[in-house]
Amino acid sequence: MKSRTLFFLFLTIFFTWACKQKPVPPEYTIQKSSVADSAMVVSPHPLATEVGVAVLQRGGNAVDAAVAVQFALAVVFPRAGNIGGGGFMVIRRQDGAVDAIDYREKAPLAADRDMYLDSAGNVIDGLSRLGHLAVGVPGTVDGLIKAHRKYGRLDLASLIEPAVQLAENGYQLTISEVNRILTYQEEFKEANTVKNVFIRDTLYEGERLVQKDLANTLRRIQINGREGFYAGETADKIVSEMKRGNGLITHEDLQQYEAQWRTPLSGQYKNYRIIAMPPSSSGGVALLQMLEMIEPYPIADWGFRDVRTVHLMAEAERRAYADRAEYMGDSDYYDVPLLQLLDSAYLDDRMLDFSLDSATVSENILAGDFKLLKESFETTHTSIIDPDGNAVSVTTTLNSNFGSKVMVGQAGFFLNNEMDDFSAKPGVPNQFGLVGAEANAIQPGKRMLSSMTPTIIEKNGDLFMVIGTPGGSTIMTSVFQVFLNVAEFGMDLEEAVNAGRFHHQWLPDQIRVEKGALDQALLDQLRALGHDIREVERMAVVKAIHVLENGKLHGVGDSRNPDDDAKGY
Ligand code: DON
């Protein structure tokens, strides 16, 4: 009798366990494309999108929603959503006034320009990407709090509360997150000295991920604001983590960190006004340069997949990235020649050697061949329009998936590996194959150059588009192409976002083309002009909102990320 009872007990336990292990896709409704009358949120995760929509529904504005979404993404999109990273936010108010905040990470005060070089002066592979030395001083929390203080309508604690709840009670993992978390197990083990909830042998779709440490950290921010992160217990935990892993960030680094308000760049392309991020991102400059360089050419008449169009755009991209490598860095530390880089006469001159008959050659090749790393990249972008017509475009990142892979012990959040965005040595490519020079050399307290391009576009003075994307070096070219797909090639936003893309970044001297984006005949024509072509799986994951002529809002999440979600009302 006793053994029968034991047997049934065993069966029950086994059955419960077996059921628990069974993958059950979470019942999230994901809308890739959505049209609404008054408000729209597009983010990389349905739970974060829903947090943003709920904030708007209870009277918050676009900045409130952006803040709440960013904190939520730190929980439900841990591979890139963050409080241990940084980003950029571009704001356009309903009355047309624009603003931008730069909360990019900074090099620690103990950083040194040669910190990633060995005694022979060669870059030590991986040191700026994995582990504690890769971490820049995080900017997200200060940036979000400053943005909220200037523009927010609702109480900050209430905007952080949904994130606290998601961390405290857990949320169901989508298959895309499960795969990412499992992919990085070896690196998590290598980079961390303290066990955390991301280090595990198994994980299944639909499993509920509870993050108690993160919930406690978020509560400290809720209660103490900036000080809840840059001082007190959280700061102590960050500094202890750095000490355990021989990292550089100190209490002084954290106390000194300040996000910066910046005047957004503003440039005209035909009857469109492009409002974008100035340095420490290169995104706005590159986007404006590319648009100015192609403006004289009749690309709409040539057509979307005409060889002249693709060739012209690739050549404009090549020239913008060549300037990026030489001239762009943190303008607080390096005198970036912004006026010159955006001067029309200069940009006309840049195209003097452009020929429809042949590819230009990227001269002075400083770097070796671009190494395609096994590492994959992840950043996160959110586009929001509120019922009053205020718009926010915000891109934030840990850089690589889960950043440095270091989670702050007992604080529950990953730290970025943004130091890799500096030029570790002139001409030596970073993980995106981007090269840089003095302008982007490492200096204590300096921000590393970014490609993030959160952008807002007006047409004839009215709000037209909110757009941005992850994608490392391919961010600017993706924003460039999706905008042109709508503005020049008459595509509906969904078609525009999902259309295949191509990318030229000067070095390596090749056009990267998404599989299937250009047909064989077009690829042959480009090769005949002298272009080297490399096929890649996918690039960038655009999230955008298009204000339609009837005033409705069309939000689109990219089909390249299964979890991208656009919802409005
Ligand atoms: O700031 C930058 O340009 C990079 N750290 C962005 C990284 C990124 O987009 C990775 N994502 N896909």
Side-chain angles (χ1 to χ4, degrees), residues 98-122:
V98 296
D99 209 346
I101 186 157
D102 173 346
Y103 50 96
R104 180 71 159 168
E105 301 91 326
K106 287 177 161 219
L109 296 169
D112 175 86
R113 63 181 291 135
D114 295 334
M115 63 188 279
Y116 299 117
L117 306 185
D118 63 18
S119 52
N122 298 316

mmCIF file with all atom_site columns, all heavy atoms in Angstrom, residues 98-122:
data_model
loop_
_atom_site.group_PDB
_atom_site.id
_atom_site.type_symbol
_atom_site.label_atom_id
_atom_site.label_alt_id
_atom_site.label_comp_id
_atom_site.label_asym_id
_atom_site.label_entity_id
_atom_site.label_seq_id
_atom_site.pdbx_PDB_ins_code
_atom_site.Cartn_x
_atom_site.Cartn_y
_atom_site.Cartn_z
_atom_site.occupancy
_atom_site.B_iso_or_equiv
_atom_site.pdbx_formal_charge
_atom_site.auth_seq_id
_atom_site.auth_comp_id
_atom_site.auth_asym_id
_atom_site.auth_atom_id
_atom_site.pdbx_PDB_model_num
ATOM 1   N N   . VAL A 1 98  ? 11.750 70.938 -30.696 1.00 0.00 ? 98  VAL A N   1
ATOM 2   C CA  . VAL A 1 98  ? 12.479 69.667 -30.664 1.00 0.00 ? 98  VAL A CA  1
ATOM 3   C C   . VAL A 1 98  ? 13.577 69.689 -29.606 1.00 0.00 ? 98  VAL A C   1
ATOM 4   O O   . VAL A 1 98  ? 14.062 70.744 -29.217 1.00 0.00 ? 98  VAL A O   1
ATOM 5   C CB  . VAL A 1 98  ? 13.083 69.324 -32.047 1.00 0.00 ? 98  VAL A CB  1
ATOM 6   C CG1 . VAL A 1 98  ? 11.982 69.100 -33.065 1.00 0.00 ? 98  VAL A CG1 1
ATOM 7   C CG2 . VAL A 1 98  ? 14.050 70.393 -32.516 1.00 0.00 ? 98  VAL A CG2 1
ATOM 8   N N   . ASP A 1 99  ? 13.955 68.520 -29.156 1.00 0.00 ? 99  ASP A N   1
ATOM 9   C CA  . ASP A 1 99  ? 14.963 68.403 -28.114 1.00 0.00 ? 99  ASP A CA  1
ATOM 10  C C   . ASP A 1 99  ? 15.592 67.011 -28.227 1.00 0.00 ? 99  ASP A C   1
ATOM 11  O O   . ASP A 1 99  ? 15.034 66.125 -28.900 1.00 0.00 ? 99  ASP A O   1
ATOM 12  C CB  . ASP A 1 99  ? 14.289 68.562 -26.735 1.00 0.00 ? 99  ASP A CB  1
ATOM 13  C CG  . ASP A 1 99  ? 15.236 69.143 -25.700 1.00 0.00 ? 99  ASP A CG  1
ATOM 14  O OD1 . ASP A 1 99  ? 16.450 69.170 -25.959 1.00 0.00 ? 99  ASP A OD1 1
ATOM 15  O OD2 . ASP A 1 99  ? 14.747 69.558 -24.629 1.00 0.00 ? 99  ASP A OD2 1
ATOM 16  N N   . ALA A 1 100 ? 16.717 66.841 -27.558 1.00 0.00 ? 100 ALA A N   1
ATOM 17  C CA  . ALA A 1 100 ? 17.357 65.518 -27.587 1.00 0.00 ? 100 ALA A CA  1
ATOM 18  C C   . ALA A 1 100 ? 18.187 65.339 -26.330 1.00 0.00 ? 100 ALA A C   1
ATOM 19  O O   . ALA A 1 100 ? 18.775 66.296 -25.830 1.00 0.00 ? 100 ALA A O   1
ATOM 20  C CB  . ALA A 1 100 ? 18.255 65.395 -28.808 1.00 0.00 ? 100 ALA A CB  1
ATOM 21  N N   . ILE A 1 101 ? 18.212 64.122 -25.840 1.00 0.00 ? 101 ILE A N   1
ATOM 22  C CA  . ILE A 1 101 ? 19.064 63.849 -24.689 1.00 0.00 ? 101 ILE A CA  1
ATOM 23  C C   . ILE A 1 101 ? 20.008 62.696 -25.003 1.00 0.00 ? 101 ILE A C   1
ATOM 24  O O   . ILE A 1 101 ? 19.615 61.698 -25.606 1.00 0.00 ? 101 ILE A O   1
ATOM 25  C CB  . ILE A 1 101 ? 18.243 63.633 -23.389 1.00 0.00 ? 101 ILE A CB  1
ATOM 26  C CG1 . ILE A 1 101 ? 19.196 63.493 -22.190 1.00 0.00 ? 101 ILE A CG1 1
ATOM 27  C CG2 . ILE A 1 101 ? 17.288 62.457 -23.477 1.00 0.00 ? 101 ILE A CG2 1
ATOM 28  C CD1 . ILE A 1 101 ? 18.545 63.818 -20.858 1.00 0.00 ? 101 ILE A CD1 1
ATOM 29  N N   . ASP A 1 102 ? 21.257 62.927 -24.627 1.00 0.00 ? 102 ASP A N   1
ATOM 30  C CA  . ASP A 1 102 ? 22.338 61.985 -24.901 1.00 0.00 ? 102 ASP A CA  1
ATOM 31  C C   . ASP A 1 102 ? 22.696 61.322 -23.577 1.00 0.00 ? 102 ASP A C   1
ATOM 32  O O   . ASP A 1 102 ? 23.269 61.966 -22.696 1.00 0.00 ? 102 ASP A O   1
ATOM 33  C CB  . ASP A 1 102 ? 23.516 62.797 -25.465 1.00 0.00 ? 102 ASP A CB  1
ATOM 34  C CG  . ASP A 1 102 ? 24.798 61.993 -25.640 1.00 0.00 ? 102 ASP A CG  1
ATOM 35  O OD1 . ASP A 1 102 ? 24.884 60.876 -25.100 1.00 0.00 ? 102 ASP A OD1 1
ATOM 36  O OD2 . ASP A 1 102 ? 25.715 62.510 -26.308 1.00 0.00 ? 102 ASP A OD2 1
ATOM 37  N N   . TYR A 1 103 ? 22.322 60.065 -23.426 1.00 0.00 ? 103 TYR A N   1
ATOM 38  C CA  . TYR A 1 103 ? 22.705 59.359 -22.202 1.00 0.00 ? 103 TYR A CA  1
ATOM 39  C C   . TYR A 1 103 ? 23.599 58.167 -22.521 1.00 0.00 ? 103 TYR A C   1
ATOM 40  O O   . TYR A 1 103 ? 23.523 57.110 -21.917 1.00 0.00 ? 103 TYR A O   1
ATOM 41  C CB  . TYR A 1 103 ? 21.505 58.986 -21.327 1.00 0.00 ? 103 TYR A CB  1
ATOM 42  C CG  . TYR A 1 103 ? 20.342 58.277 -21.984 1.00 0.00 ? 103 TYR A CG  1
ATOM 43  C CD1 . TYR A 1 103 ? 20.240 56.885 -21.935 1.00 0.00 ? 103 TYR A CD1 1
ATOM 44  C CD2 . TYR A 1 103 ? 19.325 58.990 -22.595 1.00 0.00 ? 103 TYR A CD2 1
ATOM 45  C CE1 . TYR A 1 103 ? 19.160 56.224 -22.490 1.00 0.00 ? 103 TYR A CE1 1
ATOM 46  C CE2 . TYR A 1 103 ? 18.237 58.332 -23.157 1.00 0.00 ? 103 TYR A CE2 1
ATOM 47  C CZ  . TYR A 1 103 ? 18.168 56.952 -23.106 1.00 0.00 ? 103 TYR A CZ  1
ATOM 48  O OH  . TYR A 1 103 ? 17.088 56.295 -23.655 1.00 0.00 ? 103 TYR A OH  1
ATOM 49  N N   . ARG A 1 104 ? 24.475 58.435 -23.465 1.00 0.00 ? 104 ARG A N   1
ATOM 50  C CA  . ARG A 1 104 ? 25.486 57.464 -23.876 1.00 0.00 ? 104 ARG A CA  1
ATOM 51  C C   . ARG A 1 104 ? 26.447 57.202 -22.709 1.00 0.00 ? 104 ARG A C   1
ATOM 52  O O   . ARG A 1 104 ? 26.767 58.117 -21.944 1.00 0.00 ? 104 ARG A O   1
ATOM 53  C CB  . ARG A 1 104 ? 26.237 58.079 -25.046 1.00 0.00 ? 104 ARG A CB  1
ATOM 54  C CG  . ARG A 1 104 ? 27.344 57.236 -25.627 1.00 0.00 ? 104 ARG A CG  1
ATOM 55  C CD  . ARG A 1 104 ? 26.821 56.064 -26.368 1.00 0.00 ? 104 ARG A CD  1
ATOM 56  N NE  . ARG A 1 104 ? 27.790 55.530 -27.321 1.00 0.00 ? 104 ARG A NE  1
ATOM 57  C CZ  . ARG A 1 104 ? 27.645 54.367 -27.915 1.00 0.00 ? 104 ARG A CZ  1
ATOM 58  N NH1 . ARG A 1 104 ? 26.584 53.611 -27.677 1.00 0.00 ? 104 ARG A NH1 1
ATOM 59  N NH2 . ARG A 1 104 ? 28.529 53.935 -28.781 1.00 0.00 ? 104 ARG A NH2 1
ATOM 60  N N   . GLU A 1 105 ? 26.955 55.983 -22.625 1.00 0.00 ? 105 GLU A N   1
ATOM 61  C CA  . GLU A 1 105 ? 27.925 55.661 -21.580 1.00 0.00 ? 105 GLU A CA  1
ATOM 62  C C   . GLU A 1 105 ? 29.217 56.453 -21.785 1.00 0.00 ? 105 GLU A C   1
ATOM 63  O O   . GLU A 1 105 ? 29.503 56.930 -22.882 1.00 0.00 ? 105 GLU A O   1
ATOM 64  C CB  . GLU A 1 105 ? 28.283 54.166 -21.595 1.00 0.00 ? 105 GLU A CB  1
ATOM 65  C CG  . GLU A 1 105 ? 27.127 53.224 -21.391 1.00 0.00 ? 105 GLU A CG  1
ATOM 66  C CD  . GLU A 1 105 ? 26.457 52.795 -22.684 1.00 0.00 ? 105 GLU A CD  1
ATOM 67  O OE1 . GLU A 1 105 ? 26.385 53.607 -23.646 1.00 0.00 ? 105 GLU A OE1 1
ATOM 68  O OE2 . GLU A 1 105 ? 25.992 51.648 -22.743 1.00 0.00 ? 105 GLU A OE2 1
ATOM 69  N N   . LYS A 1 106 ? 30.028 56.483 -20.720 1.00 0.00 ? 106 LYS A N   1
ATOM 70  C CA  . LYS A 1 106 ? 31.317 57.182 -20.774 1.00 0.00 ? 106 LYS A CA  1
ATOM 71  C C   . LYS A 1 106 ? 32.437 56.226 -20.386 1.00 0.00 ? 106 LYS A C   1
ATOM 72  O O   . LYS A 1 106 ? 32.222 55.308 -19.591 1.00 0.00 ? 106 LYS A O   1
ATOM 73  C CB  . LYS A 1 106 ? 31.327 58.319 -19.761 1.00 0.00 ? 106 LYS A CB  1
ATOM 74  C CG  . LYS A 1 106 ? 30.477 59.499 -20.147 1.00 0.00 ? 106 LYS A CG  1
ATOM 75  C CD  . LYS A 1 106 ? 30.516 60.521 -19.033 1.00 0.00 ? 106 LYS A CD  1
ATOM 76  C CE  . LYS A 1 106 ? 30.090 61.874 -19.557 1.00 0.00 ? 106 LYS A CE  1
ATOM 77  N NZ  . LYS A 1 106 ? 30.869 62.949 -18.995 1.00 0.00 ? 106 LYS A NZ  1
ATOM 78  N N   . ALA A 1 107 ? 33.624 56.521 -20.886 1.00 0.00 ? 107 ALA A N   1
ATOM 79  C CA  . ALA A 1 107 ? 34.792 55.752 -20.445 1.00 0.00 ? 107 ALA A CA  1
ATOM 80  C C   . ALA A 1 107 ? 35.039 56.054 -18.973 1.00 0.00 ? 107 ALA A C   1
ATOM 81  O O   . ALA A 1 107 ? 34.946 57.212 -18.558 1.00 0.00 ? 107 ALA A O   1
ATOM 82  C CB  . ALA A 1 107 ? 36.009 56.155 -21.260 1.00 0.00 ? 107 ALA A CB  1
ATOM 83  N N   . PRO A 1 108 ? 35.347 55.041 -18.168 1.00 0.00 ? 108 PRO A N   1
ATOM 84  C CA  . PRO A 1 108 ? 35.672 55.298 -16.756 1.00 0.00 ? 108 PRO A CA  1
ATOM 85  C C   . PRO A 1 108 ? 36.882 56.232 -16.634 1.00 0.00 ? 108 PRO A C   1
ATOM 86  O O   . PRO A 1 108 ? 37.700 56.318 -17.555 1.00 0.00 ? 108 PRO A O   1
ATOM 87  C CB  . PRO A 1 108 ? 36.014 53.904 -16.217 1.00 0.00 ? 108 PRO A CB  1
ATOM 88  C CG  . PRO A 1 108 ? 35.422 52.942 -17.179 1.00 0.00 ? 108 PRO A CG  1
ATOM 89  C CD  . PRO A 1 108 ? 35.395 53.619 -18.509 1.00 0.00 ? 108 PRO A CD  1
ATOM 90  N N   . LEU A 1 109 ? 36.985 56.898 -15.490 1.00 0.00 ? 109 LEU A N   1
ATOM 91  C CA  . LEU A 1 109 ? 38.076 57.858 -15.288 1.00 0.00 ? 109 LEU A CA  1
ATOM 92  C C   . LEU A 1 109 ? 39.444 57.182 -15.347 1.00 0.00 ? 109 LEU A C   1
ATOM 93  O O   . LEU A 1 109 ? 40.439 57.812 -15.693 1.00 0.00 ? 109 LEU A O   1
ATOM 94  C CB  . LEU A 1 109 ? 37.884 58.580 -13.944 1.00 0.00 ? 109 LEU A CB  1
ATOM 95  C CG  . LEU A 1 109 ? 36.606 59.439 -13.909 1.00 0.00 ? 109 LEU A CG  1
ATOM 96  C CD1 . LEU A 1 109 ? 36.314 59.921 -12.493 1.00 0.00 ? 109 LEU A CD1 1
ATOM 97  C CD2 . LEU A 1 109 ? 36.709 60.612 -14.879 1.00 0.00 ? 109 LEU A CD2 1
ATOM 98  N N   . ALA A 1 110 ? 39.487 55.894 -15.030 1.00 0.00 ? 110 ALA A N   1
ATOM 99  C CA  . ALA A 1 110 ? 40.780 55.194 -15.064 1.00 0.00 ? 110 ALA A CA  1
ATOM 100 C C   . ALA A 1 110 ? 41.078 54.601 -16.443 1.00 0.00 ? 110 ALA A C   1
ATOM 101 O O   . ALA A 1 110 ? 42.067 53.879 -16.619 1.00 0.00 ? 110 ALA A O   1
ATOM 102 C CB  . ALA A 1 110 ? 40.787 54.089 -14.010 1.00 0.00 ? 110 ALA A CB  1
ATOM 103 N N   . ALA A 1 111 ? 40.219 54.891 -17.434 1.00 0.00 ? 111 ALA A N   1
ATOM 104 C CA  . ALA A 1 111 ? 40.454 54.326 -18.773 1.00 0.00 ? 111 ALA A CA  1
ATOM 105 C C   . ALA A 1 111 ? 41.659 55.002 -19.420 1.00 0.00 ? 111 ALA A C   1
ATOM 106 O O   . ALA A 1 111 ? 42.009 56.133 -19.076 1.00 0.00 ? 111 ALA A O   1
ATOM 107 C CB  . ALA A 1 111 ? 39.215 54.522 -19.642 1.00 0.00 ? 111 ALA A CB  1
ATOM 108 N N   . ASP A 1 112 ? 42.234 54.289 -20.370 1.00 0.00 ? 112 ASP A N   1
ATOM 109 C CA  . ASP A 1 112 ? 43.431 54.798 -21.020 1.00 0.00 ? 112 ASP A CA  1
ATOM 110 C C   . ASP A 1 112 ? 43.325 54.490 -22.506 1.00 0.00 ? 112 ASP A C   1
ATOM 111 O O   . ASP A 1 112 ? 42.773 53.459 -22.878 1.00 0.00 ? 112 ASP A O   1
ATOM 112 C CB  . ASP A 1 112 ? 44.631 54.069 -20.380 1.00 0.00 ? 112 ASP A CB  1
ATOM 113 C CG  . ASP A 1 112 ? 45.922 54.418 -21.054 1.00 0.00 ? 112 ASP A CG  1
ATOM 114 O OD1 . ASP A 1 112 ? 46.508 55.426 -20.657 1.00 0.00 ? 112 ASP A OD1 1
ATOM 115 O OD2 . ASP A 1 112 ? 46.325 53.689 -21.990 1.00 0.00 ? 112 ASP A OD2 1
ATOM 116 N N   . ARG A 1 113 ? 43.868 55.363 -23.346 1.00 0.00 ? 113 ARG A N   1
ATOM 117 C CA  . ARG A 1 113 ? 43.672 55.165 -24.785 1.00 0.00 ? 113 ARG A CA  1
ATOM 118 C C   . ARG A 1 113 ? 44.234 53.822 -25.269 1.00 0.00 ? 113 ARG A C   1
ATOM 119 O O   . ARG A 1 113 ? 43.787 53.279 -26.271 1.00 0.00 ? 113 ARG A O   1
ATOM 120 C CB  . ARG A 1 113 ? 44.225 56.329 -25.604 1.00 0.00 ? 113 ARG A CB  1
ATOM 121 C CG  . ARG A 1 113 ? 45.715 56.539 -25.487 1.00 0.00 ? 113 ARG A CG  1
ATOM 122 C CD  . ARG A 1 113 ? 46.156 57.731 -26.317 1.00 0.00 ? 113 ARG A CD  1
ATOM 123 N NE  . ARG A 1 113 ? 46.056 57.476 -27.740 1.00 0.00 ? 113 ARG A NE  1
ATOM 124 C CZ  . ARG A 1 113 ? 45.539 58.326 -28.623 1.00 0.00 ? 113 ARG A CZ  1
ATOM 125 N NH1 . ARG A 1 113 ? 45.036 59.472 -28.236 1.00 0.00 ? 113 ARG A NH1 1
ATOM 126 N NH2 . ARG A 1 113 ? 45.539 58.035 -29.890 1.00 0.00 ? 113 ARG A NH2 1
ATOM 127 N N   . ASP A 1 114 ? 45.237 53.287 -24.573 1.00 0.00 ? 114 ASP A N   1
ATOM 128 C CA  . ASP A 1 114 ? 45.848 52.031 -25.019 1.00 0.00 ? 114 ASP A CA  1
ATOM 129 C C   . ASP A 1 114 ? 45.424 50.831 -24.175 1.00 0.00 ? 114 ASP A C   1
ATOM 130 O O   . ASP A 1 114 ? 46.102 49.807 -24.155 1.00 0.00 ? 114 ASP A O   1
ATOM 131 C CB  . ASP A 1 114 ? 47.380 52.164 -24.959 1.00 0.00 ? 114 ASP A CB  1
ATOM 132 C CG  . ASP A 1 114 ? 47.875 53.203 -25.950 1.00 0.00 ? 114 ASP A CG  1
ATOM 133 O OD1 . ASP A 1 114 ? 47.179 53.440 -26.966 1.00 0.00 ? 114 ASP A OD1 1
ATOM 134 O OD2 . ASP A 1 114 ? 48.944 53.792 -25.703 1.00 0.00 ? 114 ASP A OD2 1
ATOM 135 N N   . MET A 1 115 ? 44.310 50.976 -23.469 1.00 0.00 ? 115 MET A N   1
ATOM 136 C CA  . MET A 1 115 ? 43.961 49.936 -22.498 1.00 0.00 ? 115 MET A CA  1
ATOM 137 C C   . MET A 1 115 ? 43.635 48.569 -23.111 1.00 0.00 ? 115 MET A C   1
ATOM 138 O O   . MET A 1 115 ? 43.622 47.564 -22.405 1.00 0.00 ? 115 MET A O   1
ATOM 139 C CB  . MET A 1 115 ? 42.780 50.386 -21.615 1.00 0.00 ? 115 MET A CB  1
ATOM 140 C CG  . MET A 1 115 ? 41.498 50.624 -22.350 1.00 0.00 ? 115 MET A CG  1
ATOM 141 S SD  . MET A 1 115 ? 40.235 51.366 -21.268 1.00 0.00 ? 115 MET A SD  1
ATOM 142 C CE  . MET A 1 115 ? 39.595 49.939 -20.406 1.00 0.00 ? 115 MET A CE  1
ATOM 143 N N   . TYR A 1 116 ? 43.378 48.526 -24.403 1.00 0.00 ? 116 TYR A N   1
ATOM 144 C CA  . TYR A 1 116 ? 43.080 47.230 -25.032 1.00 0.00 ? 116 TYR A CA  1
ATOM 145 C C   . TYR A 1 116 ? 44.247 46.705 -25.875 1.00 0.00 ? 116 TYR A C   1
ATOM 146 O O   . TYR A 1 116 ? 44.078 45.789 -26.665 1.00 0.00 ? 116 TYR A O   1
ATOM 147 C CB  . TYR A 1 116 ? 41.803 47.335 -25.879 1.00 0.00 ? 116 TYR A CB  1
ATOM 148 C CG  . TYR A 1 116 ? 40.607 47.718 -25.035 1.00 0.00 ? 116 TYR A CG  1
ATOM 149 C CD1 . TYR A 1 116 ? 39.930 48.906 -25.244 1.00 0.00 ? 116 TYR A CD1 1
ATOM 150 C CD2 . TYR A 1 116 ? 40.177 46.899 -23.990 1.00 0.00 ? 116 TYR A CD2 1
ATOM 151 C CE1 . TYR A 1 116 ? 38.850 49.273 -24.442 1.00 0.00 ? 116 TYR A CE1 1
ATOM 152 C CE2 . TYR A 1 116 ? 39.111 47.253 -23.179 1.00 0.00 ? 116 TYR A CE2 1
ATOM 153 C CZ  . TYR A 1 116 ? 38.455 48.433 -23.418 1.00 0.00 ? 116 TYR A CZ  1
ATOM 154 O OH  . TYR A 1 116 ? 37.400 48.788 -22.611 1.00 0.00 ? 116 TYR A OH  1
ATOM 155 N N   . LEU A 1 117 ? 45.435 47.327 -25.712 1.00 0.00 ? 117 LEU A N   1
ATOM 156 C CA  . LEU A 1 117 ? 46.593 46.903 -26.507 1.00 0.00 ? 117 LEU A CA  1
ATOM 157 C C   . LEU A 1 117 ? 47.562 46.068 -25.670 1.00 0.00 ? 117 LEU A C   1
ATOM 158 O O   . LEU A 1 117 ? 47.714 46.305 -24.469 1.00 0.00 ? 117 LEU A O   1
ATOM 159 C CB  . LEU A 1 117 ? 47.344 48.134 -27.037 1.00 0.00 ? 117 LEU A CB  1
ATOM 160 C CG  . LEU A 1 117 ? 46.525 49.160 -27.830 1.00 0.00 ? 117 LEU A CG  1
ATOM 161 C CD1 . LEU A 1 117 ? 47.434 50.244 -28.396 1.00 0.00 ? 117 LEU A CD1 1
ATOM 162 C CD2 . LEU A 1 117 ? 45.735 48.492 -28.950 1.00 0.00 ? 117 LEU A CD2 1
ATOM 163 N N   . ASP A 1 118 ? 48.233 45.126 -26.327 1.00 0.00 ? 118 ASP A N   1
ATOM 164 C CA  . ASP A 1 118 ? 49.270 44.361 -25.611 1.00 0.00 ? 118 ASP A CA  1
ATOM 165 C C   . ASP A 1 118 ? 50.591 45.134 -25.677 1.00 0.00 ? 118 ASP A C   1
ATOM 166 O O   . ASP A 1 118 ? 50.659 46.225 -26.243 1.00 0.00 ? 118 ASP A O   1
ATOM 167 C CB  . ASP A 1 118 ? 49.392 42.943 -26.186 1.00 0.00 ? 118 ASP A CB  1
ATOM 168 C CG  . ASP A 1 118 ? 49.841 42.938 -27.636 1.00 0.00 ? 118 ASP A CG  1
ATOM 169 O OD1 . ASP A 1 118 ? 50.379 43.976 -28.105 1.00 0.00 ? 118 ASP A OD1 1
ATOM 170 O OD2 . ASP A 1 118 ? 49.649 41.907 -28.317 1.00 0.00 ? 118 ASP A OD2 1
ATOM 171 N N   . SER A 1 119 ? 51.648 44.532 -25.136 1.00 0.00 ? 119 SER A N   1
ATOM 172 C CA  . SER A 1 119 ? 52.911 45.294 -25.044 1.00 0.00 ? 119 SER A CA  1
ATOM 173 C C   . SER A 1 119 ? 53.494 45.584 -26.432 1.00 0.00 ? 119 SER A C   1
ATOM 174 O O   . SER A 1 119 ? 54.257 46.518 -26.602 1.00 0.00 ? 119 SER A O   1
ATOM 175 C CB  . SER A 1 119 ? 53.912 44.548 -24.172 1.00 0.00 ? 119 SER A CB  1
ATOM 176 O OG  . SER A 1 119 ? 54.020 43.224 -24.649 1.00 0.00 ? 119 SER A OG  1
ATOM 177 N N   . ALA A 1 120 ? 53.056 44.796 -27.426 1.00 0.00 ? 120 ALA A N   1
ATOM 178 C CA  . ALA A 1 120 ? 53.542 45.069 -28.785 1.00 0.00 ? 120 ALA A CA  1
ATOM 179 C C   . ALA A 1 120 ? 52.641 46.077 -29.507 1.00 0.00 ? 120 ALA A C   1
ATOM 180 O O   . ALA A 1 120 ? 52.848 46.395 -30.671 1.00 0.00 ? 120 ALA A O   1
ATOM 181 C CB  . ALA A 1 120 ? 53.609 43.768 -29.571 1.00 0.00 ? 120 ALA A CB  1
ATOM 182 N N   . GLY A 1 121 ? 51.637 46.557 -28.800 1.00 0.00 ? 121 GLY A N   1
ATOM 183 C CA  . GLY A 1 121 ? 50.771 47.569 -29.412 1.00 0.00 ? 121 GLY A CA  1
ATOM 184 C C   . GLY A 1 121 ? 49.640 46.980 -30.243 1.00 0.00 ? 121 GLY A C   1
ATOM 185 O O   . GLY A 1 121 ? 48.981 47.701 -30.997 1.00 0.00 ? 121 GLY A O   1
ATOM 186 N N   . ASN A 1 122 ? 49.407 45.683 -30.121 1.00 0.00 ? 122 ASN A N   1
ATOM 187 C CA  . ASN A 1 122 ? 48.300 45.063 -30.871 1.00 0.00 ? 122 ASN A CA  1
ATOM 188 C C   . ASN A 1 122 ? 47.054 44.971 -30.003 1.00 0.00 ? 122 ASN A C   1
ATOM 189 O O   . ASN A 1 122 ? 47.164 44.780 -28.785 1.00 0.00 ? 122 ASN A O   1
ATOM 190 C CB  . ASN A 1 122 ? 48.693 43.653 -31.326 1.00 0.00 ? 122 ASN A CB  1
ATOM 191 C CG  . ASN A 1 122 ? 49.888 43.695 -32.256 1.00 0.00 ? 122 ASN A CG  1
ATOM 192 O OD1 . ASN A 1 122 ? 49.929 44.540 -33.154 1.00 0.00 ? 122 ASN A OD1 1
ATOM 193 N ND2 . ASN A 1 122 ? 50.859 42.842 -32.016 1.00 0.00 ? 122 ASN A ND2 1
#
